[in-house]
Amino acid sequence: MISKGKTLTMKPLGYLLLLAVTSCGGSSDGGTPNSTPSATATGSSLANGTSYDNVIDNDLSSYWAPAGATGSVSITWPAQQNISSVTITEAANYQGHIGAWQLINQDSSNTTVGVNAKASSDSVIMSGSGAGTINISTIKTNSLTFEILSSTGVATVADFKVSSSGSTPSSEPTLTFSGKTAGPSVTLNWTARSIEVTNQKVYRDTDATFEGSNAIQSNIDNVSYSDKNLADGSYYYWLGVTDKAGTEHLSAAYHATIDSSTINACHDLVTNADVNWDESSLSEQEKVECLSSSLGKPVGYGSKAVGGYDVGGNSNLVVIKKPTDGSLVEKQILNAISSDAYNWIVFDKDDFKADTNIAMYRLACEEPAVLSALDNASKAECLDAELWCTNHDVSSSDCDNTFFNIKLNVDNSNVKSALAVPMIHSNTTIDGRGANANFKYSGFEIGNGDDTPSENVIISNVHFVGGGHTEDHEADPDMIRSTGQSHDIWLHQNTFDHTGDSAFDVKQGAYNITVSFNKLKNVKRAALHGSSDSRPVNANIRTTIHNNLFVTDDASYAASEFNTGRRVPLLRWGQSHMFNNVFYGYRKDVLSVRKAGSILFENNMFLNNTNNAKKDDIDYWIKSIIGTKLVYDDGSSLKVSGTKVYESNANCQAQGSGSSLDGSSVLIGNVPDMLARYDAASQSTINVNMMATSQDLADYVYATAGKGGLSPYVANDALSAAEIIKLAPDTCQ
């Protein structure tokens, strides 16, 4: 939401420009052309019970809303108007729901008065986010369109007012310069406003005086720079931005301190199995900061997620230990995730040195209905599936399926309620580094129901082991289910093995989620995004899915279980950006797009063994992996680019140059530019690190995906791509 008097950086017309924004709902001093009787309103999307005309009726109790999360409303006049500001007012009880937007001049005779306006028909005048007053260089036009590109909840416009006397945008050049210290590195980020940039330099010195500093990097194309491998000491940085006139604009200084003792203690804490969480010299806050900085920062829609790390100093390191009093470790975990406090959860390195199964269903092992479903099992038998199988003459090979998918798969409300996956509350990280704790059968939900959101959640380096897939399991044993309009979520470097239901479902309007560097092995259906055509709240869904490894091993390739849609993802209503994912053994129907959903599918790679039990060949895979029949004719859209399928050997090594799955580029419907909607740091990181399909991409993902993978490029201590590729395992299976 835009706050009064605040200056925000909006997306520029040329390079960068400053936009002054004030509170919504205010009246204009210089007239309101749209309130004249001759003005008309139209649009591209209309929710039931609303009207386009409501934006020009001067009645804030009525409004227009799009049918989904996006849409546009336009005002047209019979003659051109001089316009220098636009005020968008949201309806009461829906304020703060408008996300990204763009303002479009649709007058074919567009005339620019100010220096920064864009002189072309159907031109984007400005883009930004949140409702409020948009001040522009004066234009003459007879038609303006306000297009909502993203929203949370129901987006509304109660009033679309224009004025000929809005305040002139500030032409004062402005630099915003910030940084972050992680280990022996400093990462700098910035914005430059009201400057036509021709060069960007970073200067460094060991004192706070700019005179005598040295330019350590020039001709920077991005809006970030990392200074690595620094010695201990105090460092000051400045940003210099040169404009077209040759004037260099200098930022304020950013100060960073490098302390190798803290850096070394952090490195030992994260990487040394012999240094337990309570054996480090770091304070509790420093330990959590160490874990957060070493994990890195998500890119894409989930970029704001910091989980249990509170920069204000209120972080809690919660260490899960094996109980010695007969209580359940699962109860410790439940307590830790059931709070909105900043909790970073780890597992004792000594207690969980060996592989240990944790199963959240065990919390229900005193429920009579659950024990009855297990043939009147004892509590001990319920807690230990192998013991139950031994006592009931069930072979070890059939144990998981019998226990989890037959006995606990019953249409009994008491059983289903008792086995419901527990909810992770806000400001939580579950971090499995340094331990071998495996979550068996089911996992967690992030948020609950339709409108109980959790925000700011990270799950990383956790191994989820399912009981095998069963269609429509009554207990719905998802591993991770984001729901209830939860947001700012990062699922990173986890391993999902033969999960019973989904690996990472997204339901009931959950949004701003990044899924990165995970490994899924023999998972039938990875991710449902939106569970029903009749839930328009799912138009909020926004996911970034990148650099994940999806494997169906050779032994399972021909299994009937995998001869179906794989849901990577099955998307309704929302938007998903997928890039640099690697698939091995995926033969058909990988994704599905329905009910106005949009998928941008870039530079993804498929490999299939030519020696396979189905006798499939490259021609079959080209036709079947992504089929146009999987994109429904209901406003859904799909863009596939830079994506190939390769013949492979059994070691997941590509043979030949591959065949395109996009031809000249598959484009069905209108897919938004999702990369453009990310924050500047995400855009920069992705632009630098996105790879074309090749064995190098495959090897990079093999080396980094899943629990225990090498630190990838989102981490501060990542090796170079070339070094990581050299360390790739021999196979992905």
Side-chain angles (χ1 to χ4, degrees), residues 295 333 344-347 355-356 358 360 424 429-440 442-444 458-465 479-480 490-497 499 503 516-520 705-709:
L295 194 63
I333 296 168
W344 196 287
I345 303 167
V346 294
F347 299 85
D355 278 337
T356 304
I358 297 172
M360 300 307 290
I424 297 176
T429 296
I430 301 177
D431 185 346
R433 285 178 292 177
N436 292 295
N438 307 317
F439 282 86
K440 180 76 172 179
S442 63
F444 306 94
I458 297 174
I459 301 176
S460 180
N461 278 273
V462 175
H463 189 188
F464 294 95
V465 182
M479 290 306 183
I480 302 174
W490 188 22
L491 311 178
H492 178 61
Q493 282 197 311
N494 302 290
T495 295
F496 300 88
D497 194 344
T499 59
S516 59
F517 295 96
N518 299 281
K519 181 176 181 178
L520 287 75
K707 177 175 171 57

Side-chain angles (χ1 to χ4, degrees), residues 519 521-522 549 551-557 584-585 609 648-653 702 729-733:
K519 181 176 181 178
K521 184 174 181 181
N522 294 339
L549 176 59
V551 175
T552 305
D553 63 29
D554 289 347
S556 304
Y557 182 88
Y584 178 86
N609 192 348
S648 169
N649 62 23
N651 289 326
C652 316
Q653 302 299 302
Y702 298 164
D730 294 334
T731 181
C732 70
Q733 297 200 66

Side-chain angles (χ1 to χ4, degrees), residues 79-308:
Q80 287 186 326
Q81 309 288 326
N82 288 324
I83 296 172
S84 56
S85 72
V86 174
T87 298
I88 300 296
T89 304
E90 294 174 285
N93 301 321
Y94 296 99
Q95 293 169 342
H97 288 199
I98 292 177
W101 51 260
Q102 58 185 10
L103 186 66
I104 304 170
N105 180 4
Q106 293 190 307
D107 186 342
S108 59
S109 57
N110 175 27
T111 302
T112 303
V113 179
V115 297
N116 284 323
K118 194 175 183 181
S120 64
S121 62
D122 285 357
S123 62
V124 176
I125 304 170
M126 193 166 287
S127 60
S129 62
T133 296
I134 308 164
N135 293 316
I136 61 176
S137 298
T138 302
I139 62 171
K140 285 181 176 289
T141 183
N142 68 0
S143 184
L144 279 180
T145 294
F146 182 75
E147 182 180 7
I148 298 173
L149 303 175
S150 67
S151 62
T152 58
V154 177
T156 65
V157 175
D159 197 36
F160 184 162
K161 194 175 295 295
V162 302
S163 171
S164 59
S165 64
S167 60
T168 302
S170 169
S171 59
E172 183 70 22
T174 306
L175 298 179
T176 302
F177 190 48
S178 61
K180 180 180 179 182
T181 303
S185 301
V186 175
T187 299
L188 305 165
N189 296 284
W190 61 85
T191 59
R193 296 173 281 180
S194 296
I195 303 173
E196 288 192 75
V197 178
T198 60
N199 191 12
Q200 299 181 116
K201 296 180 181 180
V202 170
Y203 295 87
R204 187 182 70 196
D205 205 346
T206 55
D207 60 54
T209 304
F210 177 72
E211 288 73 18
S213 63
N214 296 311
I216 59 172
Q217 186 67 45
S218 61
N219 298 313
I220 303 172
D221 293 329
N222 302 311
V223 289
S224 66
Y225 174 76
S226 292
D227 195 15
K228 299 182 177 181
N229 301 317
L230 294 164
D232 283 9
S234 185
Y235 296 89
Y236 292 85
Y237 296 88
W238 295 265
L239 173 69
V241 177
T242 304
D243 63 22
K244 287 185 70 175
T247 301
E248 184 176 49
H249 306 271
L250 197 66
S251 72
Y254 173 75
H255 179 227
T257 300
I258 303 298
D259 181 354
S260 61
S261 63
T262 301
I263 295 169
N264 293 335
C266 175
H267 182 267
D268 280 349
L269 184 68
V270 173
T271 63
N272 191 339
D274 294 326
V275 178
N276 215 336
W277 307 111
D278 58 355
E279 296 171 350
S280 170
S281 61
L282 300 174
S283 68
E284 183 172 19
Q285 176 70 13
E286 287 174 335
K287 290 174 185 176
V288 176
E289 182 177 4
C290 162
L291 288 165
S292 175
S293 64
S294 60
L295 194 63
K297 186 179 186 301
V299 297
Y301 284 122
S303 63
K304 293 181 180 179
V306 295

Side-chain angles (χ1 to χ4, degrees), residues 31 55 58 96 181 236 262 311 319 349 359 415 447 554 568 606 620 627 654 661 675 677:
V55 305
N58 291 317
T181 303
Y236 292 85
T262 301
V311 69
V319 182
K349 295 182 182 181
V415 174
D554 289 347
V568 193
F606 292 83
Y620 176 84
L661 290 182
L675 179 65
R677 299 177 184 180

Side-chain angles (χ1 to χ4, degrees), residues 322-345:
K322 287 186 178 179
T324 58
D325 59 0
S327 61
L328 295 176
V329 68
E330 290 81 6
K331 182 63 175 175
Q332 290 182 48
I333 296 168
L334 180 65
N335 291 340
I337 66 174
S338 299
S339 165
D340 288 338
Y342 285 88
N343 287 338
W344 196 287
I345 303 167

Side-chain angles (χ1 to χ4, degrees), residues 398-686:
D398 291 334
C399 184
D400 279 358
N401 185 59
T402 302
F403 187 89
F404 294 114
N405 298 330
I406 297 176
K407 294 301 179 179
L408 293 182
N409 183 17
V410 292
D411 186 11
N412 180 300
S413 60
N414 292 327
V415 174
K416 289 190 283 188
S417 176
L419 295 178
V421 294
M423 171 181 160
I424 297 176
H425 288 240
S426 298
N427 307 320
T428 300
T429 296
I430 301 177
D431 185 346
R433 285 178 292 177
N436 292 295
N438 307 317
F439 282 86
K440 180 76 172 179
Y441 169 64
S442 63
F444 306 94
E445 65 176 357
I446 301 172
N448 179 258
D450 293 330
D451 55 7
T452 304
S454 296
E455 59 183 292
N456 188 32
V457 173
I458 297 174
I459 301 176
S460 180
N461 278 273
V462 175
H463 189 188
F464 294 95
V465 182
H469 185 87
T470 295
E471 197 74 11
D472 298 323
H473 197 296
E474 295 289 348
D476 200 12
D478 291 341
M479 290 306 183
I480 302 174
R481 180 192 311 141
S482 300
T483 187
Q485 302 184 60
S486 295
H487 55 93
D488 300 322
I489 297 165
W490 188 22
L491 311 178
H492 178 61
Q493 282 197 311
N494 302 290
T495 295
F496 300 88
D497 194 344
H498 208 191
T499 59
D501 209 326
S502 76
F504 50 91
D505 271 359
V506 179
K507 298 180 178 180
Q508 275 90 334
Y511 62 98
N512 289 354
I513 300 168
T514 293
V515 182
S516 59
F517 295 96
N518 299 281
K519 181 176 181 178
L520 287 75
K521 184 174 181 181
N522 294 339
V523 173
K524 179 178 180 179
R525 290 173 174 166
L528 183 66
H529 280 27
S531 58
S532 172
D533 288 354
S534 62
R535 288 179 174 158
V537 69
N538 286 322
N540 294 339
I541 290 174
R542 297 289 185 276
T543 63
T544 302
I545 303 173
H546 72 93
N547 292 93
N548 300 283
L549 176 59
F550 298 85
V551 175
T552 305
D553 63 29
D554 289 347
S556 304
Y557 182 88
S560 59
E561 176 181 352
F562 301 107
N563 188 33
T564 184
R566 304 302 295 272
R567 295 186 179 179
V568 193
L570 187 163
L571 173 69
R572 295 179 173 95
W573 292 99
Q575 297 177 11
S576 185
H577 183 198
M578 301 183 64
F579 63 89
N580 275 185
N581 298 287
V582 176
F583 299 79
Y584 178 86
Y586 277 64
R587 59 186 299 268
K588 60 175 287 191
D589 299 347
V590 170
L591 54 80
S592 178
V593 197
R594 308 179 187 180
K595 203 62 180 177
S598 292
I599 293 179
L600 178 59
F601 201 78
E602 296 185 287
N603 292 27
N604 297 291
M605 181 175 183
F606 292 83
L607 302 101
N608 283 312
N609 192 348
T610 52
N611 183 19
N612 63 80
K614 298 288 287 186
K615 308 299 182 184
D616 295 338
D617 58 18
I618 193 73
D619 292 333
Y620 176 84
W621 297 321
I622 291 171
K623 291 185 297 183
S624 302
I625 287 175
I626 300 174
T628 56
K629 67 178 182 178
L630 302 177
V631 182
Y632 284 52
D633 186 19
D634 53 6
S636 300
S637 56
L638 169 68
K639 182 177 181 180
V640 181
S641 63
T643 296
K644 289 185 175 183
V645 58
Y646 293 79
E647 295 179 324
S648 169
N649 62 23
N651 289 326
C652 316
Q653 302 299 302
Q655 310 294 299
S657 58
S659 299
S660 173
L661 290 182
D662 47 71
S664 60
S665 181
V666 170
L667 178 60
I668 302 169
N670 183 26
V671 177
D673 182 356
M674 300 181 200
L675 179 65
R677 299 177 184 180
Y678 297 160
D679 60 27
S682 291
Q683 291 185 42
S684 176
T685 301
I686 293 169

